[in-house]
Amino acid sequence: MTEPEASLRIAMKYVQSGEACKNIIVSIDGAHIKTLNTVYFDIVDFMREHGYLKCDDNQTRWQGEYQKRGFATRIIICSKSGIGDVTIALNNGKTLYIESKKIKSGSGGEYPAMREAIGQLMTGCPDDVNTIPVVAVPFNSKSFELSKKWSCNKRIQNAGIHFMLVYPNGNIEFI
C-alpha cells in the first residue's frame, strides 16, 4: 500500500464514520503521484473507484475537493509541506494530526517507516492539548507488533503519539 493510499483510506473512513466535523485535509507529496511522465498513483481514479468525485472547478489537477454522495464532509487534497499527511478535526474537539508511511521494501521495512513518522511528529506536530499525533502505516504482523510494543514506550506515551494501522479493505485499527 502506498503512502497516498493509506492517507486517503484514513480520510474516507472518517468521512463515512461521521466522526469528522470539518472537511478533511490530505497533503500528498507530488513525487508520490507522478514524476515527469510516470504515474505512481492515480488519485482521481482511486477516489472515483471509492465513490468520491472531484467537486471543484479545476478538473485537470489531482489536487482539490472530493466528495462522496450522501456525505457533507469533503476530502481536500493538497500538496503543502509541514501540515501533516492527514488532518482531521473530530466532533469531540480533538484533531488527529497523522503522518502516513508506506512500509519500506525488504526485511524490517516497518522500522524505518515508523521511526520516520515518529520523528516527523516530534518535530512538526503542533504542541496543543487537543491535537493527537498519529503514526499511520499499512497493517502487517510486524507493524502490528511494533505498534503494540511502541505504544507502551514511556517516551512515546509522554509525547502522546498513537498508532493507526490501515488495512487493504479500508478498515483502520487505532492503537
Side-chain angles (χ1 to χ4, degrees):
M1 178 182 305
T2 67
E3 187 174 308
E5 181 180 350
S7 294
L8 292 169
R9 286 190 181 282
I10 293 165
M12 290 174 185
K13 188 70 170 177
Y14 278 87
V15 165
Q16 292 167 223
S17 74
E19 294 177 71
C21 65
K22 294 181 183 175
N23 292 336
I24 297 171
I25 307 298
V26 178
S27 181
I28 297 175
D29 183 342
H32 289 281
I33 305 306
K34 178 182 178 183
T35 55
L36 296 175
N37 295 323
T38 304
V39 175
Y40 302 107
F41 186 80
D42 189 330
I43 285 183
V44 176
D45 280 351
F46 179 81
M47 296 300 281
R48 190 177 310 114
E49 287 171 12
H50 291 88
Y52 289 80
L53 299 177
K54 196 142 192 285
C55 56
D56 58 20
D57 293 333
N58 193 341
Q59 296 293 316
T60 61
R61 295 171 42 103
W62 54 266
Q63 297 97 332
E65 296 186 22
Y66 294 80
Q67 187 170 20
K68 185 169 185 148
R69 174 173 271 158
F71 295 91
T73 303
R74 294 180 177 188
I75 297 174
I76 312 297
I77 301 175
C78 64
S79 52
K80 295 178 187 173
S81 60
I83 64 167
D85 294 324
V86 186
T87 306
I88 305 171
L90 301 173
N91 294 326
N92 66 6
K94 302 285 186 183
T95 298
L96 298 178
Y97 185 95
I98 302 167
E99 286 294 342
S100 302
K101 295 293 170 214
K102 74 174 187 170
I103 303 295
K104 311 290 186 194
S105 61
S107 178
E110 297 81 5
Y111 288 91
M114 294 171 73
R115 285 180 176 142
E116 180 181 350
I118 291 167
Q120 287 176 296
L121 290 170
M122 292 298 293
T123 59
C125 183
D127 190 16
D128 177 332
V129 298
N130 290 316
T131 300
I132 301 168
V134 181
V135 170
V137 293
F139 170 84
N140 67 29
S141 61
K142 192 61 171 182
S143 65
F144 177 77
E145 175 190 326
L146 290 175
S147 295
K148 288 291 194 182
K149 179 180 176 183
W150 290 356
S151 65
C152 295
N153 179 294
K154 202 62 165 164
R155 287 185 179 160
I156 288 176
Q157 288 177 346
N158 288 342
I161 295 173
H162 293 78
F163 295 88
M164 184 180 284
L165 301 176
V166 183
Y167 290 78
N169 66 3
N171 287 339
I172 294 169
E173 185 172 359
F174 202 92
I175 297 176

